[in-house]
Amino acid sequence: MSTTPNHTTPPPLRRLDGGAVRVLVVDDEPDLTDVLGAALRSEGWEVRIACDGAGALEAADGFHPDAVVLDWMLPDTDGLGVLHALRRRIPQVCVLFLTARDAVEDRIAGITAGGDDYVTKPFALEEVLARLRGLVRRAGMSREADAPRLVVADLVMDEEAREVTRSGRIVELSRTEFELLRFLMRNPRRVLSKEQILDRVWSYDFGGRAHVVELYISYLRKKIDAGQAPLIHTVRGVGYVLKQDRS
């Protein structure tokens, strides 16, 4: 995945029935599916992962996804075959091809076969998210939810006003601190690795930049947890989690 500047996250999308948008990610690279799945979940979307064509079709039957991120080359088949089978099962599903094949004829074949969009590897994570948002919007399958207030214990974030309070006290945050806290608050009680945080907040491929996450976590702790029961916890050797400690 390539590096791109991080931008303010747009208001989350919801299905027309108010439920979470459902996305099936089909790729045989675990690192890729882990990072992409974490990013989609941070958007508030429901995610399922499959590593091959058979698994994709089995997951689709039970999950009924609104959108599918589909690798072109899979261990047991190719993406075009999976696409045709998906269309028979769920005619309205949006399909985004994600592949290393970047020849013009491959793009034409994917779109002609019924794919809705095409992104080549290496890719920028934010581009994939933006393409998926655009697909489900244009398909008329979603609507923008009201910008929510995220709440964990006495910590409150108003995403629309970009305002954070703890016990009713305004907490002044920089743009990066705000994005980091938003990612943590959208995944309460879930341990997030430094790799996931780097990719989501800074859009960096992980590689020796753990100190950046550690530094900004320390900034947040000074502003959020100082003099109060800590909400930001370190899980040694794994990452960080935002939760109320009830022990």
Side-chain angles (χ1 to χ4, degrees):
M1 284 165 287
S2 60
T3 63
T4 57
N6 188 64
H7 300 288
T8 302
T9 304
L13 295 178
R14 306 294 291 179
R15 299 178 62 175
L16 296 178
D17 63 6
V21 176
R22 298 173 184 171
V23 184
L24 174 62
V25 179
V26 186
D27 198 291
D28 62 346
E29 297 180 43
D31 290 344
L32 184 151
T33 55
D34 286 350
V35 170
L36 186 52
L40 290 165
R41 291 184 184 101
S42 76
E43 296 281 313
W45 295 12
E46 191 175 349
V47 181
R48 293 289 186 277
I49 305 295
C51 62
D52 56 26
L57 298 179
E58 181 179 355
D61 286 339
F63 184 49
H64 301 290
D66 303 301
V68 177
V69 180
L70 179 61
D71 189 19
W72 186 288
M73 298 300 294
L74 295 167
D76 58 346
T77 185
D78 62 53
L80 291 181
V82 176
L83 172 62
H84 292 313
L86 284 170
R87 289 283 187 224
R88 289 194 295 271
R89 287 166 164 79
I90 313 171
Q92 74 277 13
V93 70
C94 301
V95 177
L96 172 68
F97 275 115
L98 186 64
T99 177
R101 299 180 64 163
D102 59 358
V104 173
E105 56 268 26
D106 291 330
R107 296 180 185 230
I108 293 172
I111 299 302
T112 302
D116 296 289
D117 206 345
Y118 197 116
V119 175
T120 58
K121 302 175 184 178
F123 60 88
L125 184 59
E126 283 297 335
E127 180 185 5
V128 173
L129 297 179
R131 298 278 187 104
L132 282 173
R133 292 186 204 109
L135 288 180
V136 296
R137 279 198 194 100
R138 289 194 295 273
M141 301 165 63
S142 68
R143 59 178 175 81
E144 285 190 353
D146 296 331
R149 292 170 74 243
L150 303 175
V151 180
V152 176
D154 58 350
L155 180 66
V156 180
M157 172 180 284
D158 185 325
E159 293 187 281
E160 187 173 55
R162 295 187 70 82
E163 182 178 274
V164 175
T165 61
R166 175 96 198 255
S167 299
R169 176 183 60 86
I170 295 289
V171 180
E172 298 291 344
L173 299 176
S174 70
R175 182 188 65 81
T176 301
E177 290 166 350
F178 185 91
E179 295 300 334
L180 173 56
L181 182 61
R182 168 153 53 187
F183 188 36
L184 293 171
M185 292 188 73
R186 284 187 172 182
N187 295 274
R189 298 176 301 280
R190 180 179 173 208
V191 180
L192 300 171
S193 70
K194 293 174 183 176
E195 294 95 327
Q196 290 172 322
I197 293 171
L198 277 168
D199 204 288
R200 187 68 185 95
V201 178
W202 283 270
S203 297
Y204 290 166
D205 289 325
F206 186 65
R209 300 187 179 91
H211 66 283
V212 175
V213 177
E214 295 164 2
L215 182 63
Y216 274 85
I217 287 288
S218 71
Y219 292 161
L220 276 185
R221 280 179 166 144
K222 289 176 183 176
K223 295 183 177 184
I224 299 297
D225 287 345
Q228 302 193 67
L231 293 176
I232 302 172
H233 303 272
T234 299
V235 179
R236 191 173 301 278
V238 182
Y240 302 97
V241 60
L242 185 76
K243 66 177 181 177
Q244 186 174 20
D245 191 350
R246 301 183 184 277
S247 60

